[in-house]
Amino acid sequence: MDADVWNEQVARGYDESSAHMYAPEVLGPAVSFLEHRAGGNPALEFAVGTGRVALPLSACGVRVAGIEKSEPMARELGDKPGGDDVAVTIGDMTTARAPGLFGLVYVVYNSITCLLTQEEQVACFRNAARHLDPGGRFVIEVFVPELQRLPPGETARPFHIGDQHVGFDTYDLVNQWQVSHHYTIADGRGSTFSSPHRYVWPSELDLMGQLAGLELSERWADWKEAPFTASSRSHVSVWQKPLHGPFAR
């Protein structure tokens, strides 16, 4: 991921453009799910951003740290109430090391797809495993690629239509890439933002977990633990580090 995508301007407007993700019915179940999987242990968020999830999780009593490649995004987090309680390591989530070990590592809101190659996504799993205590969990929230809903010959599909924000994705099916385009109107001003992604299938993620020595333990359609089915548009998946064996170290 090019850190220049997440520059000062984007960081300042990020919370506003993602306001729908702060809705209690969206954020509340995510925080509750992660708090339960942390089990009283410290948690580490990859691509912590401006702290949408990290701050309320920290407010629940979980000791939260973060890794973030974009310094402007990390500054936005640090300037918020409670921001000092979340220790952020600046670096790439494929290689950066946060101090200590954790009972939970998590990546939310499709951030795994900001890694634009399969190799980088595998490295992210391995980095998560390095940060986990034996028995610890790695949680990813990510969309299921919308290719079934893409009409033949078309390469674009909307993913959000709201009063202040419209977003759509364009697809490159050969390279397994997509670009998310955001158009936001707030306080009488319009802004645009585009971010590249590599979409990834649940089965592909499971293989990445195996390569990192992690075992799939849960897969849900959402944070409320609805069953995952062939028609699910997203999934929340949990991989666990073994308590014993070569990958437990």
Side-chain angles (χ1 to χ4, degrees):
M1 180 177 62
D2 187 349
D4 290 340
V5 170
W6 307 97
N7 56 31
E8 199 82 45
Q9 179 182 354
V10 170
R12 284 197 302 268
Y14 180 80
D15 289 351
E16 206 167 47
S17 66
S18 301
H20 58 289
M21 296 299 295
Y22 284 82
E25 64 272 18
V26 175
L27 187 54
V31 172
S32 178
F33 184 102
L34 294 168
E35 180 186 13
H36 179 67
R37 271 54 181 194
N41 298 301
L44 173 65
E45 181 173 350
F46 284 177
V48 68
T50 63
R52 179 183 67 92
V53 174
L55 291 174
L57 184 60
S58 175
C60 290
V62 178
R63 184 159 60 86
V64 182
I67 290 176
E68 175 55 52
K69 189 172 183 178
S70 166
E71 293 189 40
M73 296 284 278
R75 282 196 294 272
E76 289 291 321
L77 188 163
D79 288 342
K80 293 180 178 180
D84 291 341
D85 296 329
V86 179
V88 177
T89 299
I90 299 298
D92 194 303
M93 60 181 166
T94 62
T95 56
R97 293 298 303 270
L101 291 174
F102 301 84
L104 173 70
V105 177
Y106 64 95
V107 186
V108 299
Y109 197 14
N110 309 318
S111 293
I112 186 70
T113 67
C114 291
L115 301 172
L116 299 181
T117 68
Q118 187 182 70
E119 290 80 6
E120 288 178 312
Q121 291 172 346
V122 169
C124 179
F125 268 80
R126 287 178 167 149
N127 199 29
R130 283 193 291 268
H131 282 92
L132 285 172
D133 276 317
R137 295 172 172 85
F138 182 38
V139 177
I140 290 180
E141 175 200 21
V142 66
F143 61 86
V144 176
E146 296 269 61
L147 304 192
Q148 277 187 319
R149 299 177 175 88
L150 196 65
E154 294 192 15
T155 59
R157 181 167 180 83
F159 61 83
H160 180 259
I161 299 174
D163 292 338
Q164 294 183 307
H165 174 266
V166 174
F168 67 91
D169 292 320
T170 54
Y171 291 85
D172 177 346
L173 303 185
V174 172
N175 294 299
Q176 208 164 308
W177 292 336
Q178 71 181 62
V179 178
S180 294
H181 306 265
H182 301 260
Y183 295 83
T184 303
I185 298 176
D187 299 325
R189 294 173 299 167
S191 63
T192 64
F193 168 60
S194 296
S195 60
H197 301 267
R198 180 187 186 268
Y199 60 81
V200 60
W201 302 95
S203 58
E204 190 180 2
L205 290 169
D206 290 342
L207 182 56
M208 293 179 188
Q210 291 181 40
L211 293 172
L214 303 177
E215 302 168 349
L216 180 69
S217 59
E218 301 176 63
R219 174 160 290 138
W220 307 99
D222 56 30
W223 295 111
K224 297 178 182 179
E225 302 182 26
F228 180 76
T229 70
S231 61
S232 296
R233 302 183 68 176
S234 64
H235 63 101
V236 175
S237 295
V238 183
W239 295 267
Q240 194 160 14
K241 188 171 185 176
L243 287 168
H244 306 288
F247 288 109
R249 292 191 289 272

